[in-house]
Amino acid sequence: MFRSLPQYDVIKTEEIADVKSTGTLLRHRKSGARILLLENNDENKVFGIGFRTPPSDSTGVAHILEHSVLCGSEKFPSKDPFVELAKGSLNTFLNAMTYPDKTVYPIASCNFQDFCNLMEVYMDAVFFPNIYHKEEIFRQEGWSYILENPEDELTCNGVVYNEMKGAFSSPDDMLDREIMNSLFPDTPYGVESGGDPKVIPELKYSDFLSFHSRYYHPSNCYIYLYGDMDMEERLAWLDREYLCRYDAMEIDSAIPLQKPFDKPAELTIAYPVSEAEEEKDNTYLAWNVVVGEASDVNLSFAMAVLEYVLLSAPGAPLKQALLDAGIGKDIEGGYDGGILQPVFSVVAKFANAEDKDKFVSVIRETLQKLADAGLEKKALLAAINNLEFKFREADYGNFPRGLMYGIDTFDSWLYDDNAPFDYLKQLEVCQFLKEQTKGRYFEELIKSFLIENTHASVIVMEPECNLTAKEDERVRGKLAQYKASLSAEQIAELVENTKRLRAFQETPSTQEELEKIPLLRLSDIGKEAAPLYNKEENVDGTTLVSHEIDTNGIAYIDLLFDAAAVPGDKVEYLGVLKGILGMVDTEHYSYRELSNEIDIHSGGIYPAVDVFADTAHPGNYCAKFEMKAKVLYAELDFAFDMMEEILLTSKLTDEKRLYEIIARMKSRMQMRLNSAGHQAAANRAMSYFSGTAAFGDRTTGISFYKTTELLEEQFDDKKEELTGILKELMAVLFRKENLLVSVTAEPEALDKIKERIRLLQKKLDAACAEAAGEETADAAAGAENAGAAACADRADKVSALHGLAAPLGKKNEGFATSSQVQYVATAGNFCRAGCTYTGALRILKTIMAYEYLWTNIRVQGGAYGCMSGYGRTGDTYFVSYRDPNLGRTLQVYEGITEYLKSFSVSDRDMTKYIIGTMSEVDTPQNPQAKGARSLAAYLCHITQEDLQRERDEILSATPGNIRALAPLVEAVLKEHCICVIGNGEKIKEEKELFCEVKPLIGSGSDGSQPG
């Protein structure tokens, strides 16, 4: 444990039991830097340095600076140390984030030397960046005029500029921004810290440098160290190498409080929609209030509970009141507690502007009724337990828990130097809130903060067709006007500046510069592949695959039902069924009661649909409808009771409820397509030739969205058909012979689980017999035998499910949206050309992400991101993210083959690529993730030997192995399967690239669905 160092004052030390850590708050005496230590036995060490960076305008200076400081520094002068680290580090997290009031630079690694290397590069980057010596960094990452030749059209480009064009194309992102701006007009929250594309070009290089010199000083910094390490050694290093160079100074970066409003503010704004989208029933309404201050932790969590109870839980009363009043088709709640003055919002999507007054009236009347009559205690307890379970489990996916704890500390530390631990003590807050359910605590919060609060705003965000085209034309005209105002000498200067920027971007860092980036050795990496945890047993005819892992008393249960018998023209409805089960009444519970019971007694019970490619027989796959649960061992009976209740007794007769679910499903899918278009485009391109991808597209992608769109628009005509199809699917799916059970838990839980599997088998048999109208046990046995024979027949065919979701055929589609940017994908399959999978493809992914695609698509092209993926069955894609280009990006993809043919790097660089690849391969996993990985390997027929072979191929790879991938990539690119989601005008300009151009949103079916 840290004791003391003379360079630091210890402000306080506490045992933070909730996160199993000893917390120490310090201040560096000479520089004034704030430091927080969380010491524990977590090998996944985290470092972060943050700065309070309140913006004064919407030029995005804080965001551009976040990008730019990582483009070279005093000790590490190469053009992109961040990328060089990503290529050759074992990091478990490496990124930077801009918030409305702070900028944070976190890293994480399980390898101590790697951790030290990352710390040094990041510390040097933030305090001694090359931005003062190379204006081109600002021009590349922020914005720049682009003029290749005097006669060309003047344009504007930049990574942040294009990133924010994408962000400003999403209605949900736009609304979040307007909510913040409307409530805090006199504070930094009243402007856009990420940058408004309309305003970004107003940022001057001198102001950019001034912002850094003003705020990037130790006296304004927050340093965070988490995990199992020698804290004294790290603190001594920080002092010796960086902090001792500075003297403490007063920096005015405090976030001021917004003066409360006398009455709610109201504003009406427009957002862009495409020509295919209706303007009717497409308005967003938002009612928003400011709720106290971040320093009141109990209040903050209480409001999160209220948000869940009032708006997020199935059947939540405020949400239901708005839906019943016919206001909008999807109601969302939001509680944003990551700022000085948190905000509570109610949003109605797909509403109309004339509903505004009724919207506000229903909210206020419903809140008043709830405050007077009292909230349902069970709903409050369910919400609190939901928060508590998630905090105890600490499952943050691929994000290290230490990273998330560090972000939590800022919710109080940024506004109070002496209060970094407040948001880490969540269990005592949960206990406090449970006690408050006995009185009127929550009802009084509704009265004081939601009903009587005048610090509020009401926003009407209306759709406007061709708004994006108008904005593009405005920008084009403004640039043309600006160019026309310039002299010949000034135009020549723009051309020269463009050439200088291009030269900067195209000139690689010297080998000497690159070798200053610290690099691990291959000997630092273990030789053994991570183990699979699969133990297969037969439980009276049902396969149980158990993954025996220490789960700290939590069982992760997955009931998987084979979907092979689902009719091919009903595949989309698997996605619909997933969205409905657990959200409708059952035999013993209303859907509201069901939700409360699940939240009180578990960490979640929910359906899923997944597909697993058969690596032993490329082209084949198995599709599963799943019911998942995570519970403490003491609640195993409850988990099976609830899963059986949902699977076997769900009622599909409530038409009103079905419509609400379908409308919400469509809304959430539309939001996802807007924000993650790269995923949809890549999967769609692969669906042209891949049954696996086609299944994904039809259950979670564009085809599925089109199904929800059609069902929502024509619900009255299709509701009986919908109910019939869902009942048919349930009868086909939920049969004993279709069942496989996966459990991640310790051995002590397995006996109870086997007992419940046997009981579930009987219930499935009984439900099957009842559905078939059978009255005798003999008849039921006959049905079982027939079902088993059918199952065996499917097994004999190696689960060849080509008919379930056949490839769509090459369509090469351009999906037009109102976005200002594109998501550009190309795809193909290398196995069909006789090539085979190799671990070297994992290295190619690293090379593409941080070398070839990065340089050509992000650095030179201005796109925000670029990715690629290579499946064991050959399915491959290349895709860009928030990309200003289209045809140019496809040309970049076409150049990959030649790049690979001449690929040649030094031993050091090859080692770097291998290590960077292993950081992804060896990402630490929590128990649930280990179980899921093992199950996927089992279903995909991936063995431990396969994983070891892949690892060996990665660790022993040479440049020759990368060159050998050229024919593989050439085979992929020759298939020329492309899909683009993006700006409608841009797609029309390059329509010759496509077989079909169509709107993504609106205009019904995309024509690719069967039936």
Side-chain angles (χ1 to χ4, degrees):
M1 188 195 301
F2 172 76
R3 297 288 183 242
S4 66
L5 285 174
Q7 302 93 329
Y8 297 86
D9 289 324
V10 177
I11 309 301
K12 62 180 173 180
T13 297
E14 290 186 29
E15 290 300 317
I16 315 297
D18 289 7
V19 295
K20 299 177 181 177
S21 302
T22 300
T24 304
L25 178 65
L26 309 105
R27 184 177 290 271
H28 187 254
R29 290 178 178 176
K30 187 172 188 295
S31 69
R34 307 165 184 84
I35 298 97
L36 174 62
L37 314 179
L38 282 183
E39 296 178 86
N40 50 58
N41 61 4
D42 193 340
E43 66 168 353
N44 200 357
K45 293 166 275 290
V46 179
F47 160 79
I49 181 166
F51 301 89
R52 201 156 51 193
T53 51
S56 59
D57 55 40
S58 294
T59 58
V61 58
H63 188 189
I64 296 170
L65 198 54
E66 174 232 305
H67 281 238
S68 299
V69 301
L70 296 173
C71 292
S73 66
E74 184 179 276
K75 282 186 183 177
F76 309 106
S78 64
K79 292 199 306 179
D80 215 333
F82 170 81
V83 171
E84 294 304 313
L85 284 173
K87 289 177 189 174
S89 160
L90 289 175
N91 74 84
T92 55
F93 188 84
L94 181 72
N95 215 326
M97 297 90 85
T98 303
Y99 294 88
D101 53 15
K102 60 184 174 287
T103 309
V104 183
Y105 299 85
I107 59 95
S109 180
C110 295
N111 181 287
F112 183 66
Q113 185 56 56
D114 186 45
F115 179 77
C116 295
N117 294 345
L118 295 169
M119 273 187 71
E120 184 172 21
V121 173
Y122 264 45
M123 286 293 290
D124 210 65
V126 297
F127 288 123
F128 304 108
N130 277 348
I131 58 174
Y132 291 94
H133 316 298
K134 297 180 180 180
E135 184 177 349
E136 289 84 1
I137 295 173
F138 167 71
R139 298 298 176 197
Q140 172 182 288
E141 298 299 318
W143 76 276
S144 182
Y145 289 124
I146 302 297
L147 190 66
E148 306 282 359
N149 302 291
E151 65 275 14
D152 290 349
E153 179 183 1
L154 181 65
T155 60
C156 190
N157 201 10
V159 173
V160 169
Y161 178 69
N162 290 317
E163 178 187 351
M164 296 310 294
K165 283 174 74 174
F168 272 67
S169 298
S170 164
D172 294 273
D173 286 350
M174 283 184 64
L175 184 60
D176 288 345
R177 197 165 288 112
E178 292 295 341
I179 288 171
M180 187 86 75
N181 298 168
S182 70
L183 292 170
F184 306 103
D186 306 317
T187 81
Y189 302 136
V191 297
E192 176 48 52
S193 65
D196 183 336
K198 295 178 184 177
V199 184
I200 287 173
E202 296 175 9
L203 179 62
K204 297 176 182 176
Y205 178 53
S206 57
D207 293 334
F208 165 77
L209 296 180
S210 176
F211 193 90
H212 180 271
S213 63
R214 182 160 68 252
Y215 292 125
Y216 279 60
H217 185 281
S219 294
N220 190 47
C221 85
Y222 300 77
I223 294 173
Y224 170 74
L225 285 164
Y226 165 96
D228 183 7
M229 73 185 88
D230 184 341
M231 292 293 185
E232 292 183 21
E233 183 276 332
R234 286 290 81 199
L235 289 171
W237 178 85
L238 281 169
D239 167 71
R240 182 176 65 252
E241 296 296 324
Y242 291 98
L243 300 182
C244 70
R245 303 193 197 185
Y246 295 87
D247 293 319
M249 60 183 291
E250 287 293 325
I251 298 175
D252 183 13
S253 64
I255 312 300
L257 288 168
Q258 173 66 49
K259 182 182 177 182
F261 298 168
D262 294 329
K263 62 179 181 178
E266 294 192 12
L267 69 154
T268 299
I269 57 173
Y271 78 95
V273 293
S274 66
E275 294 176 351
E277 295 178 70
E278 297 286 340
E279 294 192 355
K280 179 176 170 55
D281 295 335
N282 215 359
T283 291
Y284 286 63
L285 303 174
W287 176 87
N288 324 283
V289 291
V290 174
V291 181
E293 295 182 30
S295 58
D296 192 337
V297 180
N298 287 341
L299 173 63
S300 185
F301 281 98
M303 295 309 298
V305 167
L306 281 176
E307 183 271 321
Y308 185 81
V309 169
L310 296 174
L311 290 160
S312 294
L318 182 52
K319 172 172 65 176
Q320 200 60 49
L322 289 165
L323 291 173
D324 290 347
I327 301 171
K329 298 176 182 179
D330 185 16
I331 307 298
E332 281 189 337
Y335 177 71
D336 183 359
I339 55 177
L340 175 62
Q341 294 173 274
V343 174
F344 186 100
S345 296
V346 182
V347 177
K349 298 182 178 181
F350 305 108
N352 291 288
E354 56 267 28
D355 293 332
K356 182 200 72 174
D357 291 340
K358 186 179 178 183
F359 170 66
V360 175
S361 176
V362 169
I363 291 172
R364 296 186 65 82
E365 289 172 7
T366 304
L367 289 174
Q368 189 65 59
K369 288 178 184 176
L370 291 168
D372 292 343
L375 295 168
E376 185 184 352
K377 304 305 181 188
K378 204 165 204 179
L380 290 168
L381 289 170
I384 297 166
N385 186 72
N386 184 278
L387 285 175
E388 183 176 351
F389 193 101
K390 289 178 180 177
F391 182 73
R392 286 183 184 275
E393 185 185 26
D395 180 2
Y396 301 108
N398 288 330
F399 297 109
R401 68 179 66 186
L403 168 72
M404 305 311 292
Y405 294 154
I407 291 172
D408 284 343
T409 66
F410 276 107
D411 288 353
S412 54
W413 194 20
L414 195 76
Y415 316 113
D416 184 344
D417 286 355
N418 295 312
F421 305 133
D422 291 7
Y423 282 84
L424 299 178
K425 302 173 183 177
Q426 295 188 21
L427 297 182
E428 60 186 60
V429 175
C430 288
Q431 188 57 43
F432 167 80
L433 294 178
K434 288 175 185 177
E435 290 296 321
Q436 303 314 305
T437 63
K438 299 172 185 176
R440 286 187 48 80
Y441 174 78
F442 289 96
E443 289 80 2
E444 292 303 316
L445 292 183
I446 290 175
K447 288 178 64 176
S448 57
F449 288 107
L450 303 185
I451 297 174
E452 299 168 359
N453 189 354
T454 57
H455 193 170
S457 71
V458 178
I459 298 175
V460 178
M461 194 168 80
E462 298 181 279
E464 183 175 330
C465 187
N466 293 322
L467 185 62
T468 298
K470 292 174 187 175
E471 175 58 19
D472 289 345
E473 188 58 37
R474 184 196 70 80
V475 171
R476 198 174 292 121
K478 185 177 180 180
L479 289 170
Q481 185 179 19
Y482 173 68
K483 183 186 176 187
S485 71
L486 300 177
S487 65
E489 291 78 10
Q490 290 171 315
I491 288 176
E493 184 179 359
L494 284 181
V495 172
E496 183 57 32
N497 287 342
T498 300
K499 288 180 180 178
R500 235 185 346 257
L501 177 59
R502 292 283 185 246
F504 170 78
Q505 293 172 331
E506 294 169 5
T507 303
S509 298
T510 66
Q511 195 62 30
E512 180 184 6
E513 290 173 334
L514 292 173
E515 289 183 2
K516 290 184 177 181
I517 302 290
L519 183 66
L520 296 177
R521 298 165 299 180
L522 285 181
S523 58
D524 292 318
I525 299 173
K527 303 299 182 187
E528 301 297 318
L532 295 173
Y533 303 89
N534 289 324
K535 180 182 177 183
E536 182 181 349
E537 299 179 64
N538 186 300
V539 181
D540 294 356
T542 293
T543 298
L544 167 63
V545 184
S546 58
H547 322 288
E548 295 183 3
I549 302 167
D550 180 3
T551 61
N552 198 26
I554 298 173
Y556 300 94
I557 307 164
D558 193 354
L559 308 181
L560 300 98
F561 293 91
D562 189 9
V566 170
D569 62 346
K570 304 295 192 297
V571 171
E572 280 81 3
Y573 290 89
L574 286 170
V576 178
L577 184 63
K578 178 190 75 173
I580 286 174
L581 291 187
M583 304 294 285
V584 294
D585 294 348
T586 64
E587 181 178 353
H588 300 103
Y589 300 94
S590 71
Y591 65 89
R592 297 177 184 85
E593 293 168 340
L594 187 72
S595 172
N596 287 341
E597 290 295 323
I598 288 172
D599 284 337
I600 286 173
H601 294 285
S602 78
I605 297 175
Y606 54 93
V609 176
D610 212 340
V611 60
F612 302 89
D614 186 346
T615 60
H617 303 84
N620 297 333
Y621 60 91
C622 66
K624 303 288 185 182
F625 189 97
E626 305 173 50
M627 185 60 69
K628 297 171 177 280
K630 48 186 173 182
V631 292
L632 297 173
Y633 295 165
E635 298 285 4
L636 283 169
D637 279 325
F638 170 83
F640 275 90
D641 286 345
M642 285 295 119
M643 289 191 286
E644 291 162 2
E645 180 84 14
I646 293 168
L647 290 170
L648 302 177
T649 75
S650 288
K651 299 178 181 179
L652 305 176
T653 53
D654 187 342
E655 294 174 359
K656 177 176 176 294
R657 179 60 183 160
L658 286 180
Y659 175 77
E660 290 172 358
I661 296 170
I662 295 293
R664 179 181 183 273
M665 210 180 292
K666 174 203 166 189
S667 168
R668 304 300 163 91
M669 274 296 300
Q670 189 169 320
M671 179 173 67
R672 208 176 96 195
L673 289 173
N674 276 320
S675 62
H678 60 304
Q679 296 172 352
N683 194 72
R684 182 71 170 194
M686 290 190 292
S687 74
Y688 302 160
F689 55 82
S690 166
T692 308
F695 183 89
D697 182 71
R698 292 178 62 187
T699 53
T700 61
I702 292 173
S703 288
F704 177 66
Y705 169 72
K706 289 296 182 181
T707 297
T708 64
E709 195 174 61
L710 200 64
L711 287 172
E712 192 273 328
E713 291 171 0
Q714 301 177 21
F715 184 79
D716 286 339
D717 295 331
K718 291 186 172 293
K719 58 189 178 184
E720 290 184 12
E721 178 189 3
L722 170 64
T723 302
I725 291 172
L726 295 177
K727 288 180 178 178
E728 177 188 356
L729 289 183
M730 292 173 71
V732 166
L733 286 168
F734 305 143
R735 304 175 65 90
K736 184 176 74 173
E737 62 268 19
N738 291 341
L739 176 63
L740 180 149
V741 180
S742 168
V743 175
T744 303
E746 292 150 279
E748 64 193 78
L750 292 182
D751 286 343
K752 168 60 73 174
I753 288 169
K754 291 175 187 177
E755 175 189 322
R756 291 306 309 231
I757 290 173
R758 293 184 180 98
L759 183 57
L760 173 60
Q761 291 170 336
K762 293 177 183 178
K763 291 185 177 182
L764 288 170
D765 278 347
C768 225
E770 182 181 352
E774 297 167 344
E775 299 178 358
T776 67
D778 288 342
E784 176 188 335
N785 292 335
C791 188
D793 181 57
R794 284 195 298 273
D796 288 341
K797 295 177 181 176
V798 202
S799 297
L801 304 184
H802 299 291
L804 181 60
L808 301 183
K810 187 172 176 179
K811 300 169 75 68
N812 284 12
E813 298 154 299
F815 287 100
T817 71
S818 57
S819 176
Q820 299 178 60
V821 290
Q822 283 68 246
Y823 305 97
V824 183
T826 190
N829 183 287
F830 56 77
C831 285
R832 297 198 299 183
C835 302
T836 57
Y837 179 84
T838 167
L841 285 165
R842 298 289 294 263
I843 302 175
L844 180 60
K845 183 178 180 181
T846 302
I847 294 170
M848 288 294 104
Y850 297 115
E851 187 61 56
Y852 180 81
L853 293 182
W854 179 277
T855 300
N856 289 282
I857 290 179
R858 177 173 164 124
V859 174
Q860 296 178 18
Y864 181 50
C866 44
M867 307 90 176
S868 63
Y870 315 87
R872 287 177 179 270
T873 58
D875 291 353
T876 297
Y877 68 86
F878 301 94
V879 69
S880 63
Y881 180 81
R882 290 184 178 172
D883 188 347
N885 305 301
L886 201 168
R888 179 192 179 279
T889 295
L890 292 172
Q891 290 173 2
V892 170
Y893 298 152
E894 292 299 323
I896 297 173
T897 303
E898 289 305 313
Y899 169 78
L900 292 178
K901 286 179 179 177
S902 59
F903 182 82
S904 180
V905 295
S906 66
D907 289 346
R908 184 182 192 277
D909 285 344
M910 195 65 210
T911 297
K912 181 169 57 182
Y913 289 129
I914 292 171
I915 292 172
T917 300
M918 293 309 299
S919 73
E920 181 181 357
V921 174
D922 289 344
T923 298
Q925 293 187 313
N926 57 45
Q928 184 178 21
K930 289 178 181 178
R933 171 180 176 267
S934 298
L935 176 65
Y938 174 85
L939 292 171
C940 295
H941 302 122
I942 297 170
T943 66
Q944 189 70 45
E945 290 73 23
D946 293 330
L947 296 176
Q948 189 61 54
R949 185 184 312 111
E950 178 189 61
R951 189 179 189 89
D952 293 342
E953 288 168 346
I954 295 170
L955 292 175
S956 64
T958 66
N961 296 121
I962 304 303
R963 288 193 295 273
L965 299 176
L968 183 151
V969 172
E970 185 174 27
V972 167
L973 295 173
K974 275 185 176 178
E975 296 203 23
H976 195 61
C977 293
I978 65 170
C979 177
V980 176
I981 297 174
N983 182 273
E985 294 302 313
K986 186 70 173 177
I987 287 175
K988 288 177 185 176
E989 287 174 13
E990 305 192 54
K991 62 183 179 182
E992 71 281 354
L993 295 169
F994 306 101
C995 300
E996 302 179 46
V997 171
K998 63 189 84 172
L1000 180 65
I1001 309 298
S1003 294
S1005 171
D1006 67 356
S1008 65
Q1009 302 168 44

